[in-house]
Amino acid sequence: MARRIQPHSRTEPAVLDWHERITLDPAVLVGKPCIKGTRLSVEFIVELLANEWTYEEILEDWDYITRDDILACLAYASDVLKMEFVHPPEP
């Protein structure tokens, strides 16, 4: 039997606190959220995962980041998406 995971509420923060690992600096990638101390954007890491890269493949190519950095990218994306509301177009 598959285990069901309850999603977090819109007010509940993601499991991993990304605030210590993700920075927004206007001088780095025009202020895109990045892994602290790098020029690797959250968007880039999420895109790699969406394109079926494994954590291990990412960590092999960018050996200066950690698994927790990748998880922080996902936690950041999760928190941002919780604030987004999409209104379907009128028929």
Side-chain angles (χ1 to χ4, degrees):
M1 176 183 267
R3 186 174 142 208
R4 291 194 177 260
I5 298 173
Q6 294 297 324
H8 296 285
S9 72
R10 291 195 184 274
T11 58
E12 185 179 340
V15 176
L16 177 77
D17 183 12
W18 53 264
H19 293 88
E20 293 180 15
R21 295 179 177 274
I22 304 298
T23 59
L24 293 92
D25 181 348
V28 178
L29 294 180
V30 195
K32 285 189 174 207
C34 293
I35 297 172
K36 188 175 185 174
T38 76
R39 295 180 62 81
L40 294 175
S41 69
V42 169
E43 173 187 352
F44 178 68
I45 298 299
V46 171
E47 184 175 0
L48 291 175
L49 293 167
N51 283 297
E52 300 184 12
W53 282 56
T54 65
Y55 286 22
E56 292 76 21
E57 290 169 326
I58 295 170
L59 295 172
E60 185 177 313
D61 280 12
W62 293 277
D63 60 359
Y64 49 90
I65 66 170
T66 67
R67 180 178 176 83
D68 281 347
D69 291 327
I70 296 171
L71 292 172
C73 289
L74 294 173
Y76 175 87
S78 174
D79 279 354
V80 168
L81 287 171
K82 286 176 188 169
M83 293 183 282
E84 183 173 296
F85 293 92
V86 178
H87 301 283
E90 296 283 329

